[in-house]
Amino acid sequence: MSFVTFVSGRYLRTRQKRAFISLITVLSIAGVTVGVMALIVVIAVMAGFESDLKSRIMGIRPHLVLTKKQGDFTGYNQILAKIKPVDGIETASAYITTQVVIRTTTRAAGAVLKGIDAVQGKSVSARMDNSRLVTRTASKEPPKGNDHLPGIILGKELAANLGVIRGDTVYLILPRGMLSPAGHIPAMIKFQVADLFESGMYEFDGRLAFIDLKQAQKILRMPASVSGIEIRLRDMEKVKEISDTIERLVDGNYTIENWKQMNRNLFSALRLEKTVMFIILALIVLVAAFNIAGSLVMMVMEKRKDIAILKAMGATARSIGRIFVIKGLMIGLVGTVLGTSAGLVLCTLLKRYSFIHLPADVYYISTLPVNMKTSDVILIALCALIICFAATLYPARQAAGIDPVEAIRHG
């Protein structure tokens, strides 16, 4: 053990003559502990919220969307044949989307109608069973009851607004209708509610409706074209590499948009909120750092004669300064270790037992989501230590500048 470390440890363990200095040291450790613990818990909860929100959004929205810049998107089967073999793509299918009005005998609601390829097996929408979208457009027999109607899947909130359940009949009112002597008449088509889906996001559950792609092409009079191609990836974080690969396979008439671009505003707001919360809670550690600085300044004043004797024995000004820097870092290290441990324990308890419950009718989640990231914990601990280190610089400089002759003369 070096001379500097030995003296720093002795100063930290020795009971000061003034109990007030010891109290400030304890409060400094407690402040760092509380600050680090609060930072870890809050950042873990916000990371869990972001992860949960991302999983819900990506459960409905695709990871990549391929659209045509100009004109109708025809020849989509050839494009699908090119991109499906790309490594990392889980599913790829064509879709059609349009605005419609869905009505029953007593109610009506606006919705976003989406035609998806139900024959492809696994849908690009992971939170619903698209196998229930069975069309009977090829049937030559006249319909007999609702069993021969094409199926539609509604969001849970949309179905609640319409007052329908599985098996009920709804009418789709499309803007593309027909011309008559009375003018333009919107088309009205009868569908059977095949299933309901719930994503946990009101924006989706209250607006989205799904039908089979072929049925959508028929009612929208788009037999050979679609709105675009949706792509889901095995690893959603590899969108940049895979989108670059797809761009090389198709010509310049197509545009590729990934999930980060489609949800840029939402995730940017979440990152900004996380950063602001980090800065605000870091002020707790900063207050504790002021306590560390205050206790070191008073210790320097109390130990003036000891410092003078050490300098007279050959200790350099740099060594004297390092004594108080190391002591301040020891206080910060103890507080950081205690705060990190307490934060990790609290996050583990929150994740395992979920003892904090939220009203499900107000929030889309019923318990606090927790996602502890090693990088966040390390960053918080390093920031706490850096703040504590900065708080020791002024007292260390004051101690290093003490004149041994004057200190011994005036006691």
Side-chain angles (χ1 to χ4, degrees):
M1 182 183 295
S2 66
F3 152 72
V4 173
T5 307
F6 175 77
V7 176
S8 299
R10 290 285 296 175
Y11 278 175
L12 187 63
R13 294 192 303 270
T14 304
R15 182 182 180 86
Q16 284 86 8
K17 296 178 182 178
R18 300 176 184 176
F20 183 65
I21 300 177
S22 298
L23 178 62
I24 293 180
T25 302
V26 173
L27 291 178
S28 302
I29 294 175
V32 174
T33 301
V34 172
V36 171
M37 180 186 67
L39 265 172
I40 289 176
V41 173
V42 171
I43 295 302
V45 169
M46 295 193 69
F49 176 77
E50 181 179 359
S51 177
D52 187 75
L53 186 62
K54 186 184 296 183
S55 67
R56 291 174 184 268
I57 292 176
M58 291 300 102
I60 293 296
R61 290 185 176 176
H63 300 151
L64 287 170
V65 174
L66 179 68
T67 56
K68 197 168 185 179
K69 293 180 180 178
Q70 293 180 346
D72 295 336
F73 195 147
T74 57
Y76 57 91
N77 287 321
Q78 290 80 1
I79 300 295
L80 284 170
K82 289 182 180 179
I83 65 177
K84 279 186 176 181
V86 174
D87 186 33
I89 292 182
E90 184 178 16
T91 58
S93 61
Y95 75 95
I96 291 178
T97 182
T98 187
Q99 299 278 345
V100 298
V101 173
I102 303 177
R103 64 171 290 269
T104 62
T105 54
T106 56
R107 303 180 188 180
V112 176
L113 181 67
K114 193 168 184 180
I116 61 174
D117 193 347
V119 184
Q120 289 292 329
K122 187 173 182 180
S123 171
V124 294
S125 300
R127 290 185 176 269
M128 70 177 193
D129 181 11
N130 67 331
S131 63
R132 295 182 180 272
L133 294 180
V134 180
T135 62
R136 297 169 179 83
T137 56
S139 177
K140 303 297 183 181
E141 299 180 2
K144 296 180 181 179
N146 290 345
D147 291 339
H148 288 271
L149 292 177
I152 185 171
I153 296 179
L154 303 178
K156 183 179 179 181
E157 296 296 333
L158 178 59
N161 293 336
L162 292 170
V164 296
I165 59 174
R166 184 185 300 173
D168 287 350
T169 302
V170 295
Y171 297 88
L172 259 63
I173 303 176
L174 303 170
R176 292 188 181 184
M178 61 182 68
L179 290 175
S180 69
H184 182 81
I185 301 176
M188 185 179 297
I189 303 171
K190 197 174 183 181
F191 280 82
Q192 180 186 15
V193 179
D195 198 7
L196 306 178
F197 76 89
E198 182 179 11
S199 67
M201 298 287 294
Y202 184 82
E203 179 184 356
F204 300 143
D205 297 343
R207 294 185 59 200
L208 282 179
F210 294 88
I211 63 175
D212 184 68
L213 179 64
K214 292 182 179 180
Q215 185 68 29
Q217 288 177 320
K218 179 184 176 182
I219 64 177
L220 294 174
R221 300 174 188 173
M222 300 169 58
S225 61
V226 294
S227 299
I229 294 176
E230 295 180 327
I231 303 168
R232 288 190 72 85
L233 310 177
R234 294 187 181 91
D235 185 359
M236 60 187 295
E237 298 299 331
K238 295 183 178 180
V239 288
K240 185 64 172 64
E241 298 86 341
I242 296 177
S243 62
D244 291 342
T245 303
I246 295 174
E247 282 183 356
R248 290 192 293 267
L249 294 175
V250 299
D251 54 46
N253 295 326
Y254 299 91
T255 301
I256 301 178
E257 193 174 17
N258 60 50
W259 65 269
K260 293 181 180 179
Q261 296 168 331
M262 291 184 286
N263 303 282
R264 183 187 300 110
N265 293 337
L266 175 61
F267 292 120
S268 295
L270 289 174
R271 282 193 296 270
L272 178 61
E273 185 178 5
K274 187 177 178 181
T275 303
V276 171
M277 290 300 297
F278 183 92
I279 294 173
I280 292 174
L281 292 174
L283 295 177
I284 301 176
V285 182
L286 188 61
V287 171
F290 284 134
N291 289 336
I292 294 175
S295 65
L296 291 178
V297 167
M298 287 187 285
M299 177 168 284
V300 169
M301 296 172 61
E302 182 184 347
K303 301 293 184 180
R304 285 176 61 88
K305 184 179 292 186
D306 294 354
I307 294 171
I309 293 174
L310 289 174
K311 282 192 170 184
M313 293 174 64
T316 62
R318 184 177 180 181
S319 299
I320 297 299
R322 287 172 58 193
I323 289 173
F324 291 91
V325 168
I326 291 176
K327 183 190 174 182
L329 282 177
M330 287 180 179
I331 296 173
L333 182 62
V334 172
T336 301
V337 171
L338 292 176
T340 302
S341 303
L344 292 177
V345 169
L346 187 55
C347 287
T348 303
L349 293 176
L350 278 172
K351 191 173 184 179
R352 178 172 297 180
Y353 298 106
S354 303
F355 49 83
I356 296 181
H357 297 280
L358 303 174
D361 56 340
V362 177
Y363 303 97
Y364 76 90
I365 51 177
S366 58
T367 58
L368 284 179
V370 178
N371 183 17
M372 291 181 291
K373 295 182 179 179
T374 305
S375 57
D376 289 341
V377 175
I378 293 175
L379 179 62
I380 292 170
L382 286 177
C383 288
L385 290 175
I386 290 172
I387 292 174
C388 294
F389 171 74
T392 64
L393 296 180
Y394 176 75
R397 185 176 179 182
Q398 292 297 106
I402 291 177
D403 184 359
V405 177
E406 292 294 325
I408 294 175
R409 178 186 299 175
H410 297 288

